[in-house]
Amino acid sequence: MNTFTTDGHTRLAALLGSPVSHSVSPLMHNEAFRLLGLNCIYMCFDVTPDKLKQVTDAMRTMNVLGFNLTMPDKIPMYSLCDEVSDAARLTGAVNTVVNENGKLIGHNTDGTGYVMAMRDAGFDITGKKMILLGAGGAASSIAVQCALDGAETLDIYNRPGKNYDKISEISEKLNRETGCRVEVHDINDRETLYKNIKNADLLTNATPVGMAPDEDRCILDDSAPLDSHIFVSDIIYNPRETLLMKMSRKHGCRTANGMYMLLYQGAEAFRLWTGQDMPVDAVKKKYFS
Ligand code: NAP
């Protein structure tokens, strides 16, 4: 149960999406507000895209602190913002909105969350060669942030189709606007993928392959040339150790799951709203261990 006392000064932060009832965001943000003594409360609202404009207008009118967006509202929110960050512009998706006196500023903290989680795991993306499997919402955010944060190369693998075309457009922009060399490949071209893996510093799975209840599935097969110099990260957090991570660990690779990406995307939103750092160690201990 929430033990907050609210009063006439309490500011609202919220999660909009559908569904939202499973979200861990209220737990982490309300704990952080409580620990820092901030008079704010975080709540979830089930909002489908057809209601998003109406709800965001109300958020503006009610002078809320800000809000998060989850599926399916991240892309529709983009065109409802007054201004957007570089990461939001490059991905075309918004997961965090800061209300600056009625002006809605859109951010995308999913990629920042990923980079911060990797730093927490002892891996700095700067100057590194990265392979990214997947080209959906999460992969796009990760690709954009890693390129903005100084990855040297980024090779993205996906099946041909809508997401492939979309990430190809994003990669053209990243090649123009950042120092990162970005290429998109067909994930079925295993020869190129395996050649790439040999030179990579980081391999990231941003597909749902291996997620519960399909825990016996893996995006790579046994013949993938994994080696102990590669850090393998899987943004899936259920199960905590995917088959890809198990396989990589057997090859001596360092591995990480997606738990802390979830935590740090929230920590970055919290910082944008409050100007204060989320007490991540305490929040981690309570909800992410
Ligand atoms: P999404 O937008 O639906 O994208 C899924 C991507 O995975 C697409 O590129 C899709 O390829 C690819 N894919 C799906 N099945 C595949 C298969 N059998 N073989 C090869 N590629 C396949 O989903 P998302 O929102 O990006 O989420 C992806 C995963 O990340 C999910 O497991 C989600 O739970 C996790 N996630 C974690 C966090 C976190 O904080 N840790 C945050 C967001 C998401 P096609 O384009 O060919 O369909």
Side-chain angles (χ1 to χ4, degrees):
M1 281 300 285
N2 191 342
T3 53
F4 281 170
T5 306
T6 59
D7 60 23
H9 302 281
T10 307
R11 301 285 307 276
L12 176 69
L15 174 65
L16 314 182
S18 186
V20 286
S21 55
H22 63 284
S23 174
V24 71
S25 293
L27 299 175
M28 72 167 127
H29 286 293
N30 285 327
E31 177 69 359
F33 289 146
R34 190 183 68 77
L35 288 167
L36 294 179
L38 297 174
N39 191 359
C40 304
I41 188 166
Y42 189 101
M43 293 181 69
C44 291
F45 299 99
D46 197 302
V47 177
T48 46
D50 56 314
K51 299 278 190 307
L52 191 60
K53 175 157 181 4
Q54 214 178 327
V55 173
T56 52
D57 283 346
M59 291 282 173
R60 203 194 298 260
T61 308
M62 294 191 302
N63 196 28
V64 302
L65 190 60
F67 47 96
N68 286 133
L69 293 304
T70 187
M71 295 315 290
D73 292 338
K74 290 185 186 188
I75 293 174
M77 188 63 225
Y78 180 79
S79 50
L80 297 172
C81 292
D82 299 309
E83 279 174 26
V84 291
S85 70
D86 276 347
R89 175 179 58 81
L90 288 161
T91 54
V94 166
N95 82 328
T96 300
V97 171
V98 179
N99 175 25
E100 282 184 12
N101 303 315
K103 203 189 231 187
L104 301 183
I105 318 291
H107 297 262
N108 189 327
T109 69
D110 284 332
T112 320
Y114 176 77
V115 171
M116 288 166 84
M118 289 307 296
R119 210 171 290 145
D120 186 306
F123 187 95
D124 181 356
I125 191 70
T126 316
K128 300 297 194 309
K129 296 183 174 67
M130 175 174 186
I131 292 178
L132 181 60
L133 307 178
S140 303
S141 304
I142 291 171
V144 163
Q145 200 60 49
C146 288
L148 288 173
D149 285 354
E152 185 183 315
T153 64
L154 176 55
D155 286 281
I156 305 168
Y157 288 81
N158 204 65
R159 302 178 292 200
K162 242 168 62 184
N163 283 325
Y164 186 99
D165 295 343
K166 195 170 167 209
I167 205 105
S168 299
E169 280 172 29
I170 293 174
S171 76
E172 276 173 31
K173 289 185 202 156
L174 293 176
N175 278 316
R176 268 199 311 270
E177 295 186 28
T178 73
C180 182
R181 192 273 295 145
V182 189
E183 282 179 22
V184 184
H185 314 266
D186 182 348
I187 198 166
N188 299 309
D189 177 3
R190 295 283 152 156
E191 201 184 320
T192 306
L193 173 59
Y194 289 176
K195 220 183 273 172
N196 245 192
I197 287 180
K198 285 187 188 152
N199 297 316
D201 302 303
L202 172 65
L203 181 138
T204 303
N205 177 39
T207 78
V209 179
M211 187 168 73
D214 296 318
E215 303 181 11
D216 55 344
R217 295 185 62 214
C218 185
I219 192 77
L220 296 181
D221 58 52
D222 288 342
S223 61
L226 291 168
D227 175 278
S228 60
H229 76 276
I230 307 171
F231 196 120
V232 176
S233 89
D234 200 325
I235 68 163
I236 292 170
Y237 48 85
N238 180 20
R240 296 288 172 94
E241 187 176 45
T242 61
L243 196 53
L244 174 66
M245 291 168 64
K246 279 188 189 132
M247 192 169 104
S248 307
R249 194 162 45 81
K250 281 187 194 142
H251 287 276
C253 306
R254 286 185 293 158
T255 63
N257 67 22
M259 284 293 282
Y260 289 171
M261 174 177 168
L262 189 64
L263 167 69
Y264 282 106
Q265 63 74 31
E268 180 62 2
F270 187 92
R271 191 187 65 76
L272 289 166
W273 292 329
T274 66
Q276 297 195 40
D277 289 335
M278 179 183 271
V280 279
D281 288 342
V283 174
K284 236 186 218 177
K285 210 162 148 193
K286 191 153 180 182
Y287 295 113
F288 290 82
S289 53

